[in-house]
Amino acid sequence: MPSERYRWETLEALKGSSKGQLSYSRDWLLRGEDILEECRSPPKLSSYSGWVLDRVISQSLQETPLSRSSTPNESIPPTNDQPPSLAKTTSPASQLGSSPLSSAAPNHEVHLMVLPSKVTEVEGCIWMYEEVHRLKGKEGLRQWQEQQEQMVRAVSDMASEQLKRFDELKELKQHQEYQDLQEVMEKSSREAQGQQEKLKEEHRHRAKVLNLKLREAEQQRQRQEELERLRKEEGQERLRRLYSIQEEVLQLNQQIDPNYKHKDLPRIDLSGFSNRGNQICGLVSGLIRTTSERGFPTQVDVANTERALQEMRGLISSMQQEIATALEEKRKRDEEEERERQKELQKQEQLKAQTPVPAQHPRGKEQKEGLQVKAEESTMQWYQQLQDASDQCVASFSGLTNCKDNQVKNIRMDLQKAASIPVSQISSIAGSQLREIFDKINNLLSGKSVQSGGRTVSVTQHPQGLDFVYYKLAEKFVKQGEEEVASHHEAAFPIAVVASGIWELHPRVGDLILAHLHKKCPYSVPFYPAFKEGTPIEEYQRILGYQVKDSKVEQQDNFLKRMSGMIRLYAAIIQLRWPYGNKHMSHPHGLGHGWRWLAQMLNMEPLSDVTATLLFDFLEVCGNALMKHYQVQFWKMLLLIREDYFHRIEAITISGQMGSLMRLKQFLEVKHSL
């Protein structure tokens, strides 16, 4: 039928259209995400549309009776048994498009009226099929999505479980590693602790051994210090013994007349005793000097000096016995001579009785003989003994002064400062500080520790420290008189009272003060050094007390000023005593020495400018004390100076040196008016 032909042509035409060219896959459920994309795209005809149309059209033709306009030569539409592939040969759409339905043939009107409804039906069927197919695909997609979600959840759960197992395994391994590390650390800690305990035990053992050694060393050191202290004490005791022996030997030697002949015994010769006494003194001095250089004297040295002392005592005893024998012989001779003289007198009286004697006029007053130029021999001997003692003191600490060791140098400097600084602090305004200064000097000489310059100082720091301090202290006292008293006369009294107190407690300091004073001011002896041939003039000027620097002699005014300061200090010392000392002890160098000095000065020829200055200074400081002590004798002494000795000074004084003479004259006139 033509309608069948058109139908198949239409189907062929639809099949050849753009939608008919679309391909549909049966395995769309397995295509994954492409199915979602196809769902979003507009609907398309499937590849089964032709086959569906063939089945629908063939079925509709069977149900509908054939039209009356059919002809026998028309082509027979394909039956149901015809496969869909055959329908592709002739598409209903193509047949519809190529059929002459467009012409106005009356026998085709019914078909033209029916075909649209059929097409619509077919299209509805197609649409329904596609809708069903789409719903099935959507349901399949949903199921597939659920399946995929289940698979994803299963995979996720499995992955989560695996991750948990992995984490558990990892945690287990970490725990095992931590356990292993902890076990290793505990093991190493136990080993270290054991090693530490072993080291501690070893350290305790070594510390115990070391403490024992230190204790033994400390005990040994204490024993050594004790032995050294005992040795020093014994050495100092032996040294003091040597000094006392030397002093006694020197005193005994003074008993030997230096003129080697006794004044009253012209036939006795004491030169042998004097020579031996001098030898013994030299032997003792040599022993002390040697022991001082070596350190402390030994018992052998003490024994040698004691033997020398015994020999000196025996020598003095022998000399005294010889003198006593000679005196006894002289007494006998004198008695015989006296008897002879008495006999002669008796004879002369008998002759006078027989012959009258003419009257005799009394003789005139004898003129006073000239004064001596040199000091008395005893004074010079005393002067030389003091100088020898000073030299021996210097020799006794030569090891301290000549040592190059820095530690010994520091000790020497500290001792010198400790001896010099307190004396320098004495001035006219010292007042209550004098006792503090005195105590500091006394403690230093007594071997106690004192503070000087922020450091602790003691004479026991060196075996020769005491002699060194003796010498430096005496030197500083004299220097204060030379400088401080020379500039400020009132300073003589506080310096003198401290020096007198130290002299009383430490006699060696007093002897050294005199030695320094005599050396710097020989007029304090009094002693006028004579010029010896061959002596350089500069050296002689130094002996006279002048300061010579670079061949230049100091000015006379400065020289007299220094001599005045030292004489004033000496005059103050002999009249003052330390007020806190022992009242029952006598002054170590009292007014008797001042009277001796004044008497010897008046027995010597005066020196121009020097004698007047020193007499005025001495009398101004010490005159009142001498007057109270000697009273009438002192006034006679002043009268002698005013009436006789002043004219001798005036006779040798030149016009440029009248100042000191006028001061002395005014002083004598004031005293005379009193």
Side-chain angles (χ1 to χ4, degrees), residues 201-460:
E201 183 64 28
E202 186 176 356
H203 176 72
R204 284 193 292 269
H205 178 69
R206 291 182 178 179
K208 187 183 296 183
V209 174
L210 184 60
N211 288 333
L212 291 175
K213 291 183 178 179
L214 288 176
R215 193 178 297 110
E216 292 177 357
E218 180 66 19
Q219 293 175 356
Q220 182 68 20
R221 185 187 63 80
Q222 291 178 355
R223 287 194 295 268
Q224 291 293 336
E225 288 182 353
E226 183 66 20
L227 292 175
E228 183 66 18
R229 186 182 62 80
L230 293 176
R231 188 184 68 82
K232 287 183 178 180
E233 290 180 356
E234 293 175 356
Q236 290 177 353
E237 183 65 28
R238 288 194 291 267
L239 187 61
R240 286 192 291 269
R241 175 59 180 163
L242 287 183
Y243 285 142
S244 63
I245 291 174
Q246 183 185 23
E247 184 178 2
E248 186 176 355
V249 168
L250 292 175
Q251 290 176 355
L252 292 175
N253 191 46
Q254 291 179 6
Q255 298 179 13
I256 303 176
D257 197 324
N259 294 324
Y260 305 126
K261 291 184 179 180
H262 201 276
K263 296 179 180 179
D264 299 331
L265 303 173
R267 289 187 296 177
I268 185 173
D269 188 5
L270 302 179
S271 59
F273 295 102
S274 179
N275 292 333
R276 184 55 186 165
N278 291 332
Q279 291 177 0
I280 293 174
C281 291
L283 176 63
V284 174
S285 299
L287 284 174
I288 294 177
R289 188 180 302 108
T290 303
T291 55
S292 299
E293 294 175 354
R294 187 174 62 243
F296 290 109
T298 61
Q299 193 64 34
V300 177
D301 297 330
V302 176
N304 291 333
T305 53
E306 288 179 349
R307 282 197 297 270
L309 176 61
Q310 293 297 331
E311 185 177 356
M312 177 62 78
R313 289 173 178 172
L315 187 67
I316 295 297
S317 178
S318 300
M319 183 189 69
Q320 291 175 350
Q321 291 178 0
E322 187 171 347
I323 292 175
T325 303
L327 288 174
E328 182 66 24
E329 293 177 356
K330 182 178 178 299
R331 186 182 61 78
K332 292 180 181 180
R333 285 196 307 270
D334 290 342
E335 290 178 355
E336 292 177 0
E337 290 176 356
E338 182 66 21
R339 285 194 296 270
E340 293 293 333
R341 190 173 63 81
Q342 291 293 336
K343 290 180 182 180
E344 289 292 330
L345 289 176
Q346 289 177 1
K347 290 180 181 180
Q348 290 178 2
E349 288 178 357
Q350 291 176 359
L351 291 174
K352 287 179 181 180
Q354 296 176 0
T355 304
V357 180
Q360 298 183 2
H361 300 284
R363 297 179 59 187
K365 185 178 180 179
E366 296 181 357
Q367 296 181 353
K368 186 176 181 179
E369 297 180 354
L371 300 178
Q372 61 188 14
V373 179
K374 297 182 180 180
E376 294 181 359
E377 191 66 29
S378 59
T379 301
M380 292 306 301
Q381 185 178 6
W382 175 58
Y383 165 79
Q384 190 60 43
Q385 288 175 355
L386 292 175
Q387 297 302 317
D388 292 341
S390 177
D391 294 339
Q392 291 174 5
C393 184
V394 173
S396 65
F397 60 80
S398 59
L400 178 61
T401 56
N402 298 329
C403 184
K404 304 299 182 181
D405 186 22
N406 292 329
Q407 185 176 2
V408 177
K409 288 182 179 179
N410 293 333
I411 293 175
R412 183 174 68 242
M413 292 299 297
D414 293 340
L415 290 175
Q416 184 169 353
K417 290 179 181 178
S420 302
I421 291 177
V423 181
S424 302
Q425 295 172 347
I426 304 174
S427 63
S428 58
I429 58 174
S432 59
Q433 298 178 358
L434 285 181
R435 185 162 189 176
E436 181 181 352
I437 294 173
F438 177 85
D439 292 339
K440 191 171 184 178
I441 298 174
N442 184 37
N443 290 336
L444 179 64
L445 297 178
S446 301
K448 299 178 181 179
S449 298
V450 297
Q451 293 292 327
S452 176
R455 302 179 64 178
T456 303
V457 184
S458 175
V459 295
T460 59

Side-chain angles (χ1 to χ4, degrees), residues 571-572 574-576 591 595 618-631 634 671:
I574 64 178
Q575 65 171 316
L576 294 177
L591 290 172
W595 182 266
F618 185 84
L619 291 174
E620 187 179 41
V621 176
C622 193
N624 189 52
L626 290 174
M627 180 189 66
K628 290 181 178 180
H629 187 73
Y630 292 99
Q631 298 180 357
F634 178 74
K671 292 295 182 181

